[in-house]
Amino acid sequence: MSTMNEAEEHLLNVIRQYPKGASEDALVKDLETVEKDDIVYLVNSLSEKGYVDFVTVGKQLLFKARDINEANKTRDLNQNEKIVYNFIKSEKAKGIWIKDIKSKSGLHLQVVADCIKTLEKFKLIKSCKSVKNPTRKLYMLFDLTPSEEITGGAWYTDQELDVAFIEGLAEMTFKFISSKSYPKLSAVAQHLQKQKQGIMSASMRRHDEDDEESAFTETQPIFPPDHTGYATTKDVHAFLKRSGILKVDLAMVDVQMLVDRLWYDGKVTRIRRLGAGGSESRGDAEWNGRDLSSEEDEDDDGDEEIVQMWMYRAVRGEAMQVVKGGVWWSDVPCGRCTVSGFCKSGGPVSPETCVYFNKWLEF
């Protein structure tokens, strides 16, 4: 790389004070003792020597100082190789296809191919394949990590959708949500078992109404409406990280995808936190005019809003298969009835006259 004279070195130091690039007007203002024509000449000289790049932001042309290490690496490139290198560099971690380089640069395809071989030889660029277009080679700077748009993110392994990994995580996620969806039912199960065997004491059968309500409250198979201990996406994310089975780092938005999948499959229901407007059924996808289940998170604050707003509870019919002790009996009125001890055919409380059964059977 050619050396700089004193004037060029001074100008380069001024340009480096503008990390995003210096405009011509900014340089004229900072270099009051230097004529505008001389500034243009010095900038062009620095560009030819590889110290400065021209970048366009909107309709404005800016002069941006190059990293000294990058400048040293590219000092031996010819003009065509520099052109190809700059187009590849401009696409960052997204990569660029060889035919796109050809169309943007105006160079012949063979010339572009030769330039790419040289850049790869000096380890200035590398190639990778996209999950969207596996037959295309994309090129990016050698030190960059391909974006999720290319690799497919956490759900792809060697350019293939890792179905087994996704299914395993979905199952673990559902089990975790289920474990926080309903109270422990051991006391209720023992209570019903005694009733079934006909050994419940007469004193328990003669509870007054207040005692019956109190006893049921202590062993009810669902949480109260103001319960805030259901699983959130943050809880699921922390659980999966603790589990030790993750072979990749899952972002919060990745975990949200898992939870959303369970929600769309009808395995979990969404519940707003207390104070956020009550609960919401599976069918109500929109809230405040936004579809939270499919909304793209533009920044971290957006992620936080979705994660903090919703809790998730497993649907009983699904949860009974994974929660120890099961909740299958709570789907029928008998499982929650406070007077089941008096219920018998022909009695004051009977299956034939049960108003709860009639309502439950109204599909």
Side-chain angles (χ1 to χ4, degrees):
M1 180 179 293
S2 302
T3 58
M4 295 180 287
N5 58 41
E6 186 176 348
E8 291 172 340
E9 188 171 350
H10 178 59
L11 176 59
L12 182 61
N13 289 332
V14 173
I15 294 176
R16 281 178 176 155
Q17 295 175 12
Y18 297 85
K20 296 183 179 180
S23 66
E24 183 178 300
D25 292 339
L27 294 180
V28 170
K29 182 178 179 181
D30 291 342
L31 301 170
E32 296 179 349
T33 59
V34 183
E35 294 293 332
K36 182 176 180 180
D37 291 342
D38 292 336
I39 292 176
V40 173
Y41 173 80
L42 291 172
V43 168
N44 287 328
S45 177
L46 288 172
S47 176
E48 291 177 1
K49 294 177 180 180
Y51 289 105
V52 170
D53 284 331
F54 296 164
V55 295
T56 303
V57 179
K59 295 182 179 180
Q60 188 176 26
L61 178 64
L62 301 178
F63 313 118
K64 187 175 181 181
R66 302 182 69 186
D67 179 76
I68 190 64
N69 293 326
E70 181 187 7
N72 289 332
K73 288 180 181 179
T74 58
R75 63 184 177 183
D76 295 327
L77 300 180
N78 62 36
Q79 190 62 33
N80 287 339
E81 291 165 349
K82 287 181 179 179
I83 291 173
V84 172
Y85 177 85
N86 287 329
F87 275 113
I88 294 175
K89 178 184 175 182
S90 66
E91 295 300 325
K92 300 180 180 179
K94 295 189 300 181
I96 185 170
W97 188 30
I98 186 172
K99 289 189 177 180
D100 290 334
I101 300 175
K102 172 187 176 297
S103 62
K104 290 182 178 182
S105 66
L107 299 174
H108 190 276
L109 185 60
Q110 186 59 49
V111 174
V112 175
D114 291 340
C115 291
I116 286 175
K117 287 182 180 179
T118 301
L119 296 174
E120 286 183 314
K121 179 181 178 181
F122 290 120
K123 293 187 176 181
L124 293 172
I125 65 170
K126 63 182 177 182
S127 64
C128 59
K129 291 184 178 180
S130 168
V131 295
K132 294 182 178 180
N133 297 289
T135 59
R136 291 185 181 182
K137 271 189 178 182
L138 300 179
Y139 297 94
M140 66 181 63
L141 297 189
F142 188 82
D143 296 331
L144 294 181
T145 300
S147 66
E148 289 192 0
E149 184 180 351
I150 295 176
T151 63
W155 312 126
Y156 282 78
T157 302
D158 297 330
Q159 309 295 321
E160 296 289 338
L161 184 65
D162 197 338
V163 177
F165 178 60
I166 296 172
E167 293 297 334
L169 287 184
E171 183 178 353
M172 287 190 65
T173 298
F174 181 59
K175 285 183 177 180
F176 175 74
I177 294 175
S178 297
S179 71
K180 298 174 73 68
S181 294
Y182 301 97
K184 302 300 181 183
L185 303 175
S186 56
V188 182
Q190 292 175 10
H191 180 79
L192 291 181
Q193 186 67 21
K194 288 181 179 180
Q195 282 187 325
K196 183 177 180 181
Q197 295 174 354
I199 61 173
M200 179 171 287
S201 65
S203 60
M204 292 187 68
R205 295 176 182 270
R206 297 193 187 95
H207 277 313
D208 60 29
E209 184 176 352
D210 292 339
D211 288 340
E212 286 175 352
E213 183 176 356
S214 176
F216 175 68
T217 301
E218 293 175 358
T219 58
Q220 62 177 324
I222 60 173
F223 288 116
D226 59 350
H227 180 66
T228 58
Y230 296 112
T232 65
T233 305
K234 272 192 173 181
D235 296 332
V236 176
H237 186 245
F239 165 72
L240 292 177
K241 290 183 70 174
R242 292 194 307 267
S243 68
I245 70 162
L246 295 179
K247 53 187 178 182
V248 294
D249 290 331
L250 287 184
M252 196 72 71
V253 67
D254 297 323
V255 178
Q256 186 67 49
M257 290 179 185
L258 289 172
V259 177
D260 285 344
R261 177 190 173 187
L262 296 174
W263 183 62
Y264 283 122
D265 288 344
K267 292 185 176 182
V268 301
T269 184
R270 293 194 309 190
I271 301 173
R272 281 197 199 116
R273 283 187 180 276
L274 186 65
S279 63
E280 180 174 312
S281 66
R282 175 174 170 259
D284 299 325
E286 294 205 359
W287 178 72
N288 281 354
R290 296 180 302 163
D291 186 350
L292 296 183
S293 60
S294 61
E295 181 179 19
E296 293 185 3
D297 306 314
E298 297 181 359
D299 50 43
D300 292 339
D301 293 337
D303 291 348
E304 189 75 9
E305 184 177 9
I306 295 176
V307 169
Q308 288 297 329
M309 185 59 63
W310 297 108
M311 302 181 294
Y312 297 88
R313 181 179 64 195
V315 175
R316 282 201 191 98
E318 300 289 339
M320 71 178 185
Q321 302 176 24
V322 296
V323 180
K324 187 176 180 180
V327 292
W328 54 271
W329 52 269
S330 65
D331 276 339
V332 297
C334 303
R336 302 171 57 186
C337 183
T338 59
V339 292
S340 59
F342 304 98
C343 184
K344 64 178 181 178
S345 182
V349 179
S350 67
E352 294 87 352
T353 60
C354 179
V355 294
Y356 302 113
F357 250 121
N358 291 336
K359 185 175 181 181
W360 184 61
L361 292 172
E362 291 177 359
F363 298 106

